[in-house]
Amino acid sequence: MRLLNRFFAALLSLALVAAGALLFIEVVANRINHKPAVVKWHGAYDWAARTQWQQGSVRVVCIALAAAGLLLLIFELKRPRVTRLKISADGDDGPGIDAAYTRRGVAAAVQTAVTDVDGVRSAQVTVKGRKVTVVAGTSARDDAAAGQLLEPARSAALERLAALDLLRNPKLKISTTARKR
């Protein structure tokens, strides 16, 4: 979205510069010879002078501009997608350092911690926003034995998230599954 915003900002600034230059040219031409230089604006001026605010065409244009402005405002207020999880800046480097982990890096760290637990064979970790979801595949053949590995896997994941020293700890959702026969 940031790239699209920059494109629209550049487009709007070019349009405003062009409109300002055109206005300057038209004002100078009107002062010199009382004729339009580039745009024949006298017809539009006469139409605007005899058109009332309550007319349908004016209302349609105003509604369209208000809707476009509201859409732009909504797009700007939308929270950006979290691509990095910031690290707290309590280190020796000072508060001016901006350091963060990527979502993929946090997922790999949590996956390593969970698979280090005895009885856990694999782990699928997804980090979306500020939420970490872990599905741990265990060596157990039944759900009861797999459920016993839930708390060790949770504590390993929480310890690894604490060791990462994130500015805001993400929510952790973890589940274990038994090995398929």
Side-chain angles (χ1 to χ4, degrees), residues 31-93:
R31 292 288 179 192
I32 292 175
N33 59 8
H34 300 293
K35 294 181 183 175
V38 179
V39 178
K40 298 190 186 315
W41 53 269
H42 290 293
Y45 181 79
D46 292 338
W47 175 84
R50 67 178 181 272
T51 303
Q52 295 181 358
W53 283 102
Q54 291 83 14
Q55 199 163 352
S57 59
V58 175
R59 286 185 178 183
V60 167
V61 168
C62 288
I63 289 171
L65 288 174
L70 185 62
L71 279 175
L72 285 173
L73 180 65
I74 288 170
F75 285 137
E76 285 299 316
L77 292 178
K78 181 181 160 275
R79 291 185 74 177
R81 183 175 163 209
V82 176
T83 57
R84 301 173 25 186
L85 299 171
K86 290 188 177 185
I87 300 171
S88 62
D90 293 337
D92 296 333
D93 297 332

Side-chain angles (χ1 to χ4, degrees), residues 9 11 16 22 24 30 35 61 64 67 74 84-85 91-92 99 108 132 137-138 143 149 154 168 170 180:
L11 194 65
L16 288 174
L22 185 63
F24 178 76
N30 189 26
K35 294 181 183 175
V61 168
I74 288 170
R84 301 173 25 186
L85 299 171
D92 296 333
V132 177
T138 65
D143 291 335
L149 292 172
R154 180 186 310 280
R168 282 187 231 122
K180 304 229 187 319

